[in-house]
């Protein structure tokens, strides 16, 4: 991990949810689909119009990534925060034997008793302190609202399925969710105007696991 991209330098995003599938359609119209790889998020970060001083800060940060080699953290305006009523990272995995790889429903506790809409469909989460690097960096999206029972427990329904097992009592990051990404291109272009202002666009994708 090589630092955190400054969130105040993010103006806009072109956000993508990627599912690498192979689809074939026969002459009879029958469709066959085969999953070809792990789901991942990617997006284009566009900065606001920057002064030369701010532009150099961004350029120096990107130079430290060494092109596609390293990975960095970024928190996305609006998307990294939940639409539900949860205000802090209080939820924890409530699976005595842990949650298995591939699971799309994970029991949690530690929330506000009897809360409805505690998290909303489309909110992002990340499992941290799981003991596995992959799940520490992978971001998941909720496919259903999270409502809690009288003890503050409920079930998270997510996609994709867990890419690795998650330990019991692992913290669920629900607020200010961090995306771990890398630059998808080996070359980064910079546009600088003669008036002394600049704007930067960076194409990135989720980096799942560690850099070797």
């Amino acid at each position: 991990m090589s630092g955190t991209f400054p969130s105040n330098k993010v103006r806009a995003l072109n956000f993508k949810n990627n599912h690498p599938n192979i689809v074939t359609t026969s002459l009879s119209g029958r469709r066959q689909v085969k999953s070809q790889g792990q789901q991942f998020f990617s997006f284009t970060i566009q900065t606001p119009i920057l002064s030369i001083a701010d532009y150099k800060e961004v350029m120096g940060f990107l130079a430290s990534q060494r092109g596609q080699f390293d990975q960095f953290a970024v928190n996305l305006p609006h998307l990294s925060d939940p639409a539900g009523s949860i205000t802090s990272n209080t939820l924890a995995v409530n699976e005595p034997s842990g949650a298995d790889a591939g699971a799309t429903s994970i029991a949690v506790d530690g929330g506000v008793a009897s809360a409805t809409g505690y998290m909303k469909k489309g909110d992002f989460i990340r499992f941290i302190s799981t003991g596995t690097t992959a799940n520490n960096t992978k971001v998941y999206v909720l496919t259903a609202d999270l409502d809690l029972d009288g003890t503050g427990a409920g079930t998270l329904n997510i996609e994709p399925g867990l890419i690795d097992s998650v330990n019991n009592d692992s913290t669920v990051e629900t607020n200010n969710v961090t995306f771990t990404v890398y630059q998808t291109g080996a070359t980064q272009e910079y546009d600088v105007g003669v008036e002394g202002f600049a704007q930067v666009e960076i194409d990135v994708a989720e980096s799942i696991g560690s850099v070797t």
Side-chain angles (χ1 to χ4, degrees):
M1 181 78 72
S2 184
T4 299
F5 190 85
S7 59
N8 65 337
K9 300 297 191 297
V10 180
R11 173 183 176 270
L13 297 164
N14 177 14
F15 196 85
K16 298 176 183 178
N17 185 355
N18 305 280
H19 292 268
N21 296 324
I22 293 178
V23 180
T24 58
T25 304
S26 68
L27 293 176
S28 65
R30 294 180 181 272
R31 189 175 72 104
Q32 292 185 325
V33 183
K34 182 179 180 181
S35 178
Q36 202 53 18
Q38 175 62 49
Q39 177 273 351
F40 65 97
F41 298 109
S42 62
F43 43 94
T44 299
I45 299 173
Q46 184 185 78
T47 70
I49 302 299
L50 302 171
S51 67
I52 292 300
D54 287 340
Y55 157 75
K56 286 185 175 181
E57 178 188 354
V58 171
M59 185 171 64
F61 178 86
L62 295 177
S64 71
Q65 306 306 315
R66 293 178 288 172
Q68 298 165 299
F69 180 80
D70 219 334
Q71 60 188 21
F72 60 94
V74 61
N75 298 93
L76 305 181
H78 306 298
L79 294 183
S80 284
D81 293 319
S85 60
I86 188 170
T87 58
S88 60
N89 300 323
T90 60
L91 293 178
V93 173
N94 184 25
E95 300 273 3
S97 300
D100 294 331
T104 56
S105 296
I106 297 95
V108 294
D109 58 11
V112 175
S114 304
T116 58
Y118 201 53
M119 297 195 73
K120 305 293 286 186
K121 181 191 300 184
D123 284 344
F124 292 103
I125 64 168
R126 185 170 65 101
F127 298 96
I128 54 180
S129 303
T130 66
T132 63
T133 301
N135 268 325
N136 271 310
T137 58
K138 182 73 185 88
V139 172
Y140 300 89
V141 62
L142 267 61
T143 59
D145 291 355
L146 172 65
D147 298 326
L148 303 182
D149 63 19
T151 68
T155 300
L156 291 171
N157 294 290
I158 63 169
E159 281 292 336
L162 293 175
I163 63 173
D164 208 339
S165 60
V166 171
N167 297 337
N168 188 40
D169 291 329
S170 291
T171 300
V172 184
E173 186 176 65
T174 58
N175 291 70
N176 203 27
V177 174
T178 298
F179 288 76
T180 303
V181 299
Y182 67 96
Q183 296 182 83
T184 58
T187 302
Q188 179 64 50
E189 294 185 11
Y190 302 96
D191 295 322
V192 182
V194 294
E195 299 86 358
F197 294 97
Q199 190 171 37
V200 180
E201 288 192 356
I202 313 140
D203 294 321
V204 299
E206 268 192 295
S207 182
I208 302 170
S210 58
V211 173
T212 58

